[in-house]
Amino acid sequence: MKQAFKYIDENNALAVLPIPLSSILEIEELLVEIDEGRHGNKLGYISKLVKINKNSRLTKKSWGRLATGKKVDLAITYNFITFDEQEDYEKYFYSYEVWSHGTPQAPMLMLSFDRISGVEPKDSLETKPDQRVSSRRVVSIPIQCILKNWGDVEKGYMIYEHNLSAMDNAEHQFESISYIGLTSRNWQTRYKEHQRDALTGSELIFHTSLAAAINKDSIIQRGMGPFEMVRTGVCLLSELQYINLSYEEAMDVEEQMVERSTLYPKGLNMIPGGFAGTKFLHKLGYLNKDRATVDDRDYAAAKYLKDHPVEKRSAPWVQVNWENDEFYEGVIFKRNNTLNKEQVLSIRKYGNEWGFDTEIIANLVGANVRQVRDVLSGKYYSRVQ
């Protein structure tokens, strides 16, 4: 008997999320609880989003349909967890967090596939102090597009971002770097094509970076069914940013996004985005016209990059810059949710020289107890002097 969904549009969810139907059912159960106000949120949040979908379907552009944080301040993180030394690798654990982000951002659903060091806990998900998240694969979407009354999520064009960054505990730290993509197909289908090219020898910088993230140190996919895991020390984030765009809208948006932040060498896009990219390729003779389909543009871009290879660049986590402590500190302390240098040095002084208790140190420097323990043990920030 087919499962009836109260809030989720099954077809849209299966189209944009890399998880099986059984996991989508788990998320549906969570949405029911959220709508009942059982997670510290206001009552009726999910019903309100479904109603917004219905009322805006024929009256607004797709990005204008997304509720702002002012209307519905909601973010959901759903964690799928596996352990490096668990007994049954076909098994996974899960947890979730429902929170308010306090920004104008639309309500988001984030799936986090976490690989944790050590053995699985026996009675709960409480890990030991020496265990840590070894790697993380995150997929983020605006939650409204998988709720009922949205319409066909695969109609038109999608724009997405793939981002590579270092885990805080990674041996080799590196600066976060991104790639912006545009597709007329499902973004999950397009990612599988990128993945295939990355693992079959493509020399495009995005593909070589992706290959190093998902196929390094002989990591083999095991457990968690179709869920993808990445190499130790790396977080790979994929975010669906725009959906249901027209051709002109998609090309304009991609051009602005690539120009702003991801055009090489700042990012992993090797040619300009949108119409700027097609004009660039047309001028050099790789396109017969300066307005072409996205597939024609991508084919022409691949041919251009094959004819004009850039100097090969090492994956960011092996760059020689990271041997320099000042460079390391400059990147680490620019991140959100990390201690600053003054806090790290104070923790060492209060703990190693003055012998204060960890809870007292945490109160003095504005950190939590675990952060204090990690600094004193040398687990994190050991290079900060």
Side-chain angles (χ1 to χ4, degrees), residues 1 107 127 137 153 185 214 225 258 261 263 265 271 286 365:
M1 182 176 178
T127 57
R137 177 73 172 97
V153 75
R185 299 187 297 284
I214 62 179
V258 171
S261 60
L263 186 60
I271 66 167
Y286 287 88
V365 304

Side-chain angles (χ1 to χ4, degrees), residues 14-18 137 154 156-162 179-200 202 204 206-207 210 214 228 236 238-240 242 254 268-271 293-303 305:
L14 289 170
V16 299
L17 294 174
R137 177 73 172 97
E154 296 186 87
Y157 292 79
M158 300 182 180
I159 292 179
Y160 55 86
E161 177 177 357
H162 297 303
Y179 172 86
I180 298 294
L182 161 63
T183 182
S184 59
R185 299 187 297 284
N186 183 301
W187 80 308
Q188 291 295 321
T189 300
R190 186 68 184 110
Y191 175 72
K192 290 176 183 177
E193 294 170 351
H194 284 308
Q195 187 185 60
R196 176 202 63 204
D197 292 340
L199 298 178
T200 54
S202 169
L204 300 186
F206 171 53
H207 291 156
L210 184 60
I214 62 179
E228 180 184 44
L236 171 57
S238 297
E239 182 175 0
L240 181 59
Y242 291 89
E254 187 199 35
L268 298 172
N269 288 84
M270 300 304 298
I271 66 167
T293 67
V294 173
D295 288 341
D296 286 343
R297 184 200 63 173
D298 289 348
Y299 178 81
K303 190 172 187 306
L305 293 170

Side-chain angles (χ1 to χ4, degrees), residues 38 71 78 96 151 163 179 198 232 250 260 301 330 355 362 364:
R38 293 161 56 185
K71 288 184 178 180
Y78 209 92
Y96 50 79
N163 174 271
Y179 172 86
T232 299
R260 182 171 65 244
L364 287 172

Side-chain angles (χ1 to χ4, degrees), residues 161-173:
E161 177 177 357
H162 297 303
N163 174 271
L164 289 164
S165 62
M167 302 292 294
D168 288 342
N169 55 27
E171 180 180 354
H172 299 291
Q173 293 292 320

